[in-house]
Amino acid sequence: MQVSKIISSAAIVLFIALSMSCKKKEEPLFILNNVELYPNSAAKTRVKSDEQWVSILHTNLFQSALSSNELFQIGECIASIGDKELVREVIISNFMNDDGVVMPTDEEMRADLPTFITNTYTRFLVRYPSVSEETWYANYIETNPYITPELVYFSFALSNEYLYY
Amino acid sequence: MKRREFIRKTGLTAGAALVAPYILPSGRLFAQTGSQIAPHVVMVMFAGGVRQQESVLQRYVEDSQNEPYPGNIMYNMLDGEAPTQKIVYGTGAGGIDPIPQILNSSLQSQGTLFSEVTALSRGHYGGLNSLLQGSNAITQGLRQKPVNPTIFEFLRRHGGYSATDTWFIGNGINNSVPLLNYSIDPGYGASYGANFFAPNITFGGACENFLGDARVYHPENELDPIYQMKYFLDNNFDNYASGLGNLGNTEDEKQQIKEFMTLMYDKTGNGTIAHPPISDSDDLKSVGYTCEVLKHFKPAMTVVNLDNVDACHSNFTEYTASLHRADHAVGHLWDYIQNEIPEMADNTIIIATPECGRNLEPNGILDANDWRSFDHSDANALRVFTMMAGPSIPQNLTIGGEGNPIGFTSDSMLTAAEILGVKSDVLNAGTLAPGTLSLFDRL
């Protein structure tokens, strides 16, 4: 009797030990989300050349590249005027007069302001807006009925940050 | 009112009345220390390298080509009879038709000619810099903005002149000409610079495609929001954008310039630019656009650069034609100011100085007429002249002469500074070349 108790207790202990020791350990699974990395504005320390600026501008507005001949000609036009900010403004307003500028409609912009603002920042400034920037732009557009995507694009293309990379 | 309070308020009012008129657009509290001699100066950089023998000395091909035909091919500027033979500088086939004189009396008879002036440089860029800086800095490099402050910056910083009060018109964008509208001096620089056009480029065919069809935005409903959004972005980027070189045109001035550009594209298309009667060269066209700038903005200081005579390196015939045209250009400019711009007539002083001369001896290149060409590297290349005319300028006066040089090319800058009231500021800056004086001090 005594012996059988000992044997059964040992069997129970052995069963428990075996069952626990043989349990398969689950491997942790690490997954990386796809995140697009952009530089912040502080990393932009170099000024674009006139040709770089206008080439990037054309690509941002028309989603197509300027020809090398056009690029050369516009570079000469910029060199021929002393006030560079003014000539940039004139070039942007000329581009805006072209039907080929790719941009959302006013309704599309106002239907989803956060997306429009984020897309505009990444398109022109190659970075995400900060929360305060997104809030300011959203409030400004919401409270100003005259604001169109064209005016917003114009302001980004004219900004100092757009002159740097 | 108690007597003490009355005295205090009277004192404050008087003080405010004294100070308020002198708060200038530049932020300067007091007006320039010197008084103006005239409200407008037009400086012609009669550049490209003008040989003294064919200009002031009126030797045409006598000296340069050993042919016995002297004569004056600059009869709008200088007194003297034109050549009678070997005429190649005019219009028509072979240039046989001289361009008719524009001015009834030459600038020489209307003003003062410093007939033998010493240039500070034998090179173009150094020479142009000496006309605008009043010096020829040793460290001045090609393709580098002026090292010392230019006349434009002195005027804007010390005289309170606005950006559209100062204009530099180039006849092209080569040879670093677009760099000359302001210096890299840390105390001056872009924010005191002049507006600049190279109009033959700006208003030429190619640029019209990119600049001539600008969308017109409503100033309050559209432009204001654009600027507000831009300024918001700039504020967030302020630390990194301090050296962009903006000229400091106000929004109103920018609007004026944009309107001027639209007008120029229209007038260019219509063929109604105020060009000289003959306008078959870049120099002549530049002067036509300069007339338009003068008429539109009535600037205090306008500088126009001519340089087609530099053809003399390889083509003496073309050089004489360009020199003849440069004279035609100056004659037209002066005539236009006097007859088409009432606000500037009789109160504008014109100063014309070559930036350098040309060699005494020719190089080995012959042109189509077998005429010899001239570079600019010897002592003769430092021989030039200065012409000025307008109010307070003695008429029909010639100072100096061959073998009796008086003055330097850098004098022209200080003279312009004196005319517009910033002479003492220029002198105090200590950047002038040694020996530089205002031409008024040499009269």
Side-chain angles (χ1 to χ4, degrees):
Chain A
M1 184 65 188
Q2 196 69 17
V3 173
S4 62
K5 273 187 177 177
I6 292 169
I7 290 170
S8 62
S9 298
I12 291 168
V13 170
L14 186 62
F15 174 77
I16 291 170
L18 284 173
S19 63
M20 294 207 36
S21 65
C22 291
K23 187 176 183 183
K24 189 180 178 184
K25 187 181 178 182
E26 284 190 18
E27 290 290 330
L29 184 61
F30 296 99
I31 300 173
L32 296 177
N33 293 326
N34 287 326
V35 177
E36 287 188 72
L37 294 177
Y38 291 109
N40 59 25
S41 62
K44 298 174 185 172
T45 57
R46 287 175 289 183
V47 183
K48 295 172 187 170
S49 68
D50 292 337
E51 287 77 9
Q52 286 171 327
W53 176 84
V54 78
S55 174
I56 294 167
L57 173 69
H58 191 274
T59 305
N60 284 159
L61 292 180
F62 296 95
Q63 309 286 299
S64 65
L66 273 171
S67 72
S68 57
N69 189 39
E70 288 174 317
L71 193 56
F72 173 76
Q73 288 174 337
I74 296 182
E76 290 209 321
C77 300
I78 296 173
S80 75
I81 298 177
D83 189 328
K84 301 305 177 199
E85 189 169 83
L86 183 142
V87 68
R88 286 193 291 268
E89 204 174 309
V90 174
I91 288 172
I92 297 166
S93 53
N94 268 262
F95 281 164
M96 289 300 187
N97 232 0
D98 193 304
D99 293 336
V101 177
V102 179
M103 61 183 158
T105 64
D106 193 43
E107 292 72 29
E108 288 168 342
M109 173 182 78
R110 291 179 185 278
D112 188 359
L113 275 177
T115 301
F116 169 77
I117 294 166
T118 301
N119 288 346
T120 306
Y121 265 86
T122 54
R123 183 170 180 173
F124 284 90
L125 303 184
V126 202
R127 68 176 176 85
Y128 290 114
S130 66
V131 174
S132 64
E133 287 172 326
E134 187 179 324
T135 305
W136 187 91
Y137 258 100
N139 288 338
Y140 193 79
I141 295 170
E142 278 174 349
T143 55
N144 194 330
Y146 294 109
I147 298 293
T148 61
E150 178 181 333
L151 302 190
V152 177
Y153 280 17
F154 201 125
S155 70
F156 273 78
L158 202 57
S159 70
N160 286 343
E161 186 174 345
Y162 194 60
L163 292 169
Y164 283 75
Y165 69 102
Chain B
M1 185 183 294
K2 289 180 181 175
R3 181 173 174 276
R4 183 175 296 174
E5 189 183 354
F6 172 77
I7 291 170
R8 187 174 66 83
K9 286 184 175 175
T10 306
L12 282 173
T13 307
L18 283 170
V19 170
Y22 300 103
I23 298 174
L24 300 172
S26 64
R28 183 187 163 101
L29 190 57
F30 297 101
Q32 62 268 21
T33 49
S35 56
Q36 283 185 342
I37 294 173
H40 306 284
V41 174
V42 175
M43 181 191 286
V44 180
M45 300 204 290
F46 204 78
V50 175
R51 202 162 171 266
Q52 189 79 339
Q53 283 76 3
E54 287 78 45
S55 54
V56 167
L57 299 177
Q58 303 183 14
R59 292 177 186 159
Y60 190 41
V61 292
E62 181 185 38
D63 175 281
S64 56
Q65 313 301 335
N66 295 324
E67 299 198 39
Y69 305 110
N72 174 23
I73 62 173
M74 295 169 53
Y75 35 68
N76 285 292
M77 297 176 71
L78 301 169
D79 292 331
E81 294 300 315
T84 54
Q85 294 190 57
K86 295 277 184 182
I87 295 169
V88 296
Y89 50 81
T91 57
I96 58 169
D97 300 319
I99 301 172
Q101 186 171 358
I102 293 177
L103 300 178
N104 292 327
S105 59
S106 71
L107 276 177
Q108 181 178 1
S109 61
Q110 293 184 45
T112 298
L113 171 66
F114 291 82
S115 61
E116 186 83 23
V117 168
T118 304
L120 264 60
S121 171
R122 296 175 180 87
H124 299 303
Y125 196 57
L128 296 177
N129 267 295
S130 67
L131 291 173
L132 294 174
Q133 300 179 45
S135 63
N136 184 22
I138 295 170
T139 55
Q140 180 69 57
L142 299 171
R143 297 187 180 184
Q144 180 192 26
K145 290 192 88 64
V147 172
N148 292 324
T150 59
I151 180 66
F152 309 118
E153 293 157 84
F154 282 112
L155 289 170
R156 290 197 57 201
R157 180 175 166 186
H158 301 290
Y161 294 94
S162 70
T164 49
D165 273 334
T166 55
W167 279 90
F168 175 44
I169 310 296
N171 61 344
I173 57 173
N174 296 324
N175 303 321
S176 302
V177 166
L179 302 181
L180 290 166
N181 61 333
Y182 62 87
S183 74
I184 54 173
D185 186 293
Y188 293 84
S191 52
Y192 300 108
N195 275 295
F196 169 76
F197 274 133
N200 295 330
I201 306 289
T202 311
F203 305 116
C207 286
E208 185 172 6
N209 298 333
F210 303 111
L211 306 176
D213 189 28
R215 194 182 192 98
V216 178
Y217 291 95
H218 190 281
E220 283 93 32
N221 296 340
E222 295 179 316
L223 274 182
D224 278 354
I226 287 172
Y227 290 136
Q228 284 181 30
M229 288 187 282
K230 169 192 156 44
Y231 295 147
F232 171 76
L233 292 168
D234 290 349
N235 282 336
N236 289 347
F237 194 66
D238 199 37
N239 289 339
Y240 316 105
S242 57
L244 288 174
N246 290 326
L247 294 182
N249 281 304
T250 63
E251 303 304 345
D252 282 347
E253 287 179 313
K254 283 184 187 171
Q255 201 58 33
Q256 280 182 50
I257 296 170
K258 282 189 262 185
E259 288 166 6
F260 175 76
M261 290 175 68
T262 303
L263 180 66
M264 288 305 99
Y265 285 118
D266 289 345
K267 293 186 85 167
T268 302
N270 298 335
T272 54
I273 295 291
H275 286 319
I278 301 297
S279 56
D280 57 3
S281 72
D282 284 348
D283 279 355
L284 290 164
K285 287 174 184 158
S286 296
V287 163
Y289 285 108
T290 303
C291 291
E292 298 287 353
V293 167
L294 293 174
K295 185 158 192 166
H296 198 88
F297 295 99
K298 284 95 184 171
M301 182 76 203
T302 308
V303 177
V304 55
N305 177 46
L306 313 176
D307 75 354
N308 286 169
V309 296
D310 201 30
C312 196
H313 281 293
S314 59
N315 190 333
F316 190 86
T317 303
E318 190 179 331
Y319 160 72
T320 59
S322 297
L323 192 56
H324 189 57
R325 280 157 177 73
D327 170 79
H328 181 62
V330 173
H332 173 72
L333 184 61
W334 190 239
D335 181 67
Y336 192 85
I337 291 168
Q338 301 309 322
N339 295 309
E340 303 294 336
I341 314 177
E343 299 89 343
M344 294 181 71
D346 301 323
N347 61 14
T348 300
I349 293 177
I350 189 169
I351 304 172
T353 312
E355 91 288 30
C356 67
R358 302 198 86 88
N359 289 354
L360 185 64
E361 299 299 330
N363 60 29
I365 302 174
L366 299 177
D367 67 12
N369 286 321
D370 278 342
W371 284 352
R372 301 177 299 181
S373 307
F374 293 82
D375 301 324
H376 40 93
S377 56
D378 68 10
N380 198 66
L382 295 177
R383 298 177 62 194
V384 292
F385 66 91
T386 293
M387 170 86 72
M388 62 177 186
S392 301
I393 309 296
Q395 294 187 356
N396 207 20
L397 176 66
T398 299
I399 293 177
E402 195 167 15
N404 180 29
I406 293 177
F408 298 94
T409 47
S410 50
D411 292 349
S412 298
M413 183 271 200
L414 187 59
T415 306
E418 179 166 7
I419 293 167
L420 295 172
V422 295
K423 180 185 178 187
S424 60
D425 299 290
V426 174
L427 291 171
N428 291 338
T431 54
L432 292 175
T436 300
L437 289 176
S438 165
L439 293 171
F440 290 100
D441 297 328
R442 298 193 190 277
L443 289 174

